[in-house]
Amino acid sequence: MKSFLATVDLYFIDEETAIIYSQIKASVFNRFAPKDKNKRRQTSISNLGFTDHDLWIVATAVQNELTLVSADSDFERISQVQPFSWESWV
């Protein structure tokens, strides 16, 4: 177990990560939320099919210039508003 953990890199969330996260969240919301003001007010990021966890993962990948490997199609949708290195091995 220790030998495996020695090969794992940790990426901590800092102020820069938070700034990237907020920019991605705003871009995703602007792209996928309803255009009608009344409907937009009642819409959250989770209503659009995204989780904050996904956005934090992308923000970390963008900040650290990492390639994200996932079969989760939400990352493909996020890449429409925030280009980042993403691959699905499925």
Side-chain angles (χ1 to χ4, degrees):
M1 179 67 130
K2 283 185 178 183
S3 62
F4 169 75
L5 292 177
T7 66
V8 174
D9 293 323
L10 298 177
Y11 297 92
F12 296 98
I13 294 174
D14 59 16
E15 184 177 350
E16 183 181 352
T17 321
I19 291 168
I20 295 168
Y21 161 85
S22 64
Q23 292 168 341
I24 294 170
K25 189 171 185 174
S27 295
V28 165
F29 192 84
N30 287 333
R31 171 72 182 265
F32 297 107
K35 302 306 176 208
D36 178 79
K37 282 186 180 184
N38 291 327
K39 290 180 182 177
R40 282 177 84 85
R41 288 186 188 120
Q42 299 172 4
T43 302
S44 69
I45 203 76
S46 61
N47 295 132
L48 302 176
F50 301 98
T51 69
D52 283 319
H53 301 295
D54 289 343
L55 301 179
W56 282 112
I57 291 167
V58 172
T60 303
V62 168
Q63 177 183 4
N64 295 285
E65 299 178 0
L66 303 170
T67 298
L68 178 61
V69 178
S70 175
D72 187 341
S73 63
D74 290 341
F75 293 117
E76 183 177 3
R77 293 176 59 213
I78 296 169
S79 72
Q80 293 175 23
V81 297
Q82 171 61 58
F84 64 98
S85 181
W86 173 78
E87 296 179 16
S88 174
W89 292 354
V90 177

